[in-house]
Amino acid sequence: MLLIELNEFNKDLLQNIAGIHQLKHLQQVLGWSHAATWTSDEYESGFLEPWVQWVSVHTGVPSRQHGVKSLGDVHNLAEDQIWERCSRRGLSSVVWGGMNGNRRNADGCKVFVPDPWTVSEDAYPASYQGLIGLPRYLAKNYLDFSKLTAARKGYALARTLLRSVKGADFVDGLRIFRRGFRQFGATNAVFIVFFEYLSAMAFIRAVEQNRPDAAIIFINMLAHVQHHYWKSGDGSDCPQIAFAAIVADEILGKLVARCKGIVSNGRVALMNALSQTCTTEEPPWILYRPKNHVRLIAFLGLEATRVEPLMTYDAHVFFAMAEATARGAAILEGARIDGKPLFFVEPDPHDPLKLFYRVAMSDPVDPDAQFTYRNMAARFADHFTAIVQRTGKHNQNGDLFANFEIGCDRFSNHEVSGWLEQSASDMDRSLTAA
């Protein structure tokens, strides 16, 4: 089976844009057999995040059981992931960009490329490591990076892509980049869509070369543009979302045409794990990010040995002693701005020398506003910057589409992997009987 993980897309928005632009592949997929998906997790629990929900999808257990709450925490995962269970059954797989996943001892997983934000995981085989080096570096050093380091990692990325992508697909990627650059300039959306297109082409090439029984690809571009550019509810005035949807349509067309006949039973499923809701009619919610996580932690006086930035406004902080961890937590928890907590702080349940924190402030902040810490004050704008006013927020409901009869109207996220494995087994038995 081929599973396409099109992260967080909004079904109604995508249907509208596909209709406006006559995107035939998206229209075809959105016309397949459909089931609703859902999670009972909420924002307040900290679990309504894609890096939590995809772990539920991959393991078959709810978040309260697997307990993975942050990016990079997957090394503490006790449960098997779907590609590990497939490997034990003698089935091969290719897993590409699986969010918050790891290959571990899945010998049948012939290719494993982790998402760029799970820094504890490397690509397998190592020849694919160049694909994640630059995205991982930029994700961790978004506002303060070395141009020389970025150039070296960019060179490694280009070399890996040229080696991993068919020439015609690479030319198509350049066409997409030119179109995006002419329309929007050198913006994050253009580079993200360009990279994800070429990454998907490299996935197709890996499937063609390894011919696995099952394959999984994670695609994040629509989640990004919905968070940043969803200016009208129906998408009629959202050119960045339309650009990403047009490219997603091309990706889907190539995925289905070139991979469907390779995976063992020709079955294809697409899902989002959770969706997004447009927030343009809600009070502003601002994403603030530290300009430099490492320097911020030092400025606040934490006795940290290491700081590991995560996706945007969050990080893991490591210490040499439990006492230093406790003091660090107290400093972060005591920081205030406009009388509100500046940070959300959570000790790691598996490691007494590790803290998770994220910026908790999301209200508009005056340019000269100050925050307080350890009975001192500092100018907020000297240490933090506003990345975006969020236009799309996470929704507990999602969607599952398949090119065969699903057989159920609604799944919880952790039930999906069991359905995928059962569907594959049913088809294998029918092929064997035939």
Side-chain angles (χ1 to χ4, degrees):
M1 179 177 289
L2 169 64
L3 175 60
I4 304 169
E5 299 179 341
L6 192 57
N7 192 38
E8 297 181 27
F9 72 86
N10 178 284
K11 175 171 66 71
D12 294 336
L13 173 67
L14 204 54
Q15 285 176 330
N16 287 341
I17 292 177
I20 292 171
H21 295 277
Q22 292 298 295
L23 305 178
K24 64 178 182 179
H25 303 299
L26 272 172
Q27 289 177 316
Q28 179 186 32
V29 170
L30 296 175
W32 286 349
S33 178
H34 172 260
T37 64
W38 67 282
T39 175
S40 59
D41 293 330
E42 300 175 346
Y43 267 117
E44 291 73 16
S45 70
F47 284 120
L48 190 60
E49 299 286 359
W51 47 85
V52 177
Q53 298 307 315
W54 285 114
V55 175
S56 295
V57 171
H58 295 152
T59 60
V61 299
S63 60
R64 65 180 179 274
Q65 180 175 335
H66 66 64
V68 173
K69 200 170 189 178
S70 302
L71 275 164
D73 282 350
V74 71
H75 62 273
N76 296 314
L77 185 65
E79 291 78 15
D80 288 339
Q81 300 151 114
I82 188 170
W83 47 89
E84 295 177 274
R85 297 194 293 273
C86 285
S87 183
R88 284 202 305 272
R89 292 170 53 198
L91 300 176
S92 61
S93 63
V94 168
V95 180
W96 200 272
M99 183 168 254
N100 222 4
N102 54 6
R103 181 177 180 267
R104 295 202 286 206
N105 296 317
D107 293 336
C109 185
K110 302 303 182 184
V111 177
F112 182 88
V113 177
D115 70 72
W117 311 283
T118 305
V119 297
S120 60
E121 302 303 318
D122 290 329
Y124 178 88
S127 57
Y128 287 108
Q129 188 69 15
L131 292 177
I132 59 176
L134 180 62
R136 179 172 288 179
Y137 177 72
L138 294 178
K140 293 176 64 176
N141 302 276
Y142 178 68
L143 298 173
D144 187 13
F145 62 90
S146 162
K147 292 182 179 179
L148 179 60
T149 300
R152 287 201 302 264
K153 293 183 180 295
Y155 176 70
L157 172 62
R159 285 189 61 190
T160 308
L161 283 171
L162 286 170
R163 186 174 62 246
S164 306
V165 174
K166 287 185 175 180
D169 291 331
F170 194 86
V171 171
D172 285 341
L174 294 177
R175 166 179 52 80
I176 287 167
F177 179 78
R178 286 196 299 270
R179 175 177 177 173
F181 186 83
R182 285 197 303 267
Q183 193 170 2
F184 306 112
T187 60
N188 283 344
V190 173
F191 285 104
I192 288 170
V193 170
F194 171 58
F195 169 74
E196 288 216 308
Y197 179 85
L198 290 181
S199 177
M201 297 305 104
F203 165 80
I204 292 174
R205 182 71 165 164
V207 170
E208 291 172 335
Q209 291 174 334
N210 290 274
R211 306 190 70 81
D213 298 301
I216 299 173
I217 180 171
F218 177 84
I219 301 171
N220 196 53
M221 64 173 74
L222 286 170
H224 174 80
V225 292
Q226 287 174 176
H227 277 312
H228 288 72
Y229 302 104
W230 197 352
K231 305 299 185 183
S232 60
D234 64 357
S236 58
D237 188 27
C238 304
Q240 291 89 350
I241 298 180
F243 171 61
I246 290 168
V247 176
D249 180 75
E250 186 168 336
I251 291 173
L252 288 177
K254 290 189 175 184
L255 284 172
V256 174
R258 291 164 58 180
C259 297
K260 176 184 172 183
I262 294 175
V263 293
S264 63
N265 54 30
R267 292 189 167 190
V268 183
L270 178 145
M271 67 175 298
N272 52 9
L274 71 163
S275 183
Q276 288 185 32
T277 303
C278 186
T279 62
T280 54
E281 301 300 322
E282 298 182 7
W285 190 101
I286 311 297
L287 173 64
Y288 296 102
R289 179 175 181 145
K291 292 183 176 180
N292 184 297
H293 282 276
V294 175
R295 284 203 288 265
L296 174 66
I297 291 301
F299 175 81
L300 295 174
L302 277 70
E303 305 160 66
T305 59
R306 180 164 61 94
V307 180
E308 184 181 272
L310 298 174
M311 184 180 283
T312 47
Y313 61 159
D314 45 6
H316 287 134
V317 189
F318 299 84
F319 301 84
M321 299 182 296
E323 294 82 0
T325 309
R327 288 192 294 269
I331 293 171
L332 291 170
E333 289 169 346
R336 293 288 186 274
I337 181 168
D338 293 339
K340 300 177 180 179
L342 178 54
F343 302 107
F344 169 82
V345 186
E346 192 167 54
D348 190 283
H350 304 282
D351 186 349
L353 304 181
K354 179 181 176 183
L355 289 176
F356 167 82
Y357 83 90
R358 68 169 179 262
V359 179
M361 187 61 178
S362 59
D363 297 334
V365 173
D366 186 88
D368 295 320
Q370 291 188 322
F371 67 93
T372 59
Y373 69 102
R374 298 172 56 201
N375 298 317
M376 294 182 281
R379 186 169 176 264
F380 181 80
D382 289 342
H383 300 275
F384 303 87
T385 190
I387 298 297
V388 67
Q389 179 175 326
R390 182 182 65 183
T391 59
K393 68 178 181 181
H394 295 150
N395 185 302
Q396 294 168 306
N397 300 303
D399 299 279
L400 169 67
F401 294 90
N403 68 344
F404 56 95
E405 186 60 40
I406 292 175
C408 184
D409 293 331
R410 192 167 185 256
F411 294 94
S412 61
N413 277 336
H414 70 273
E415 294 172 330
V416 173
S417 67
W419 169 80
L420 288 168
E421 292 177 86
Q422 184 62 49
S423 298
S425 297
D426 289 346
M427 177 58 78
D428 287 342
R429 283 196 293 269
S430 66
L431 289 173
T432 301

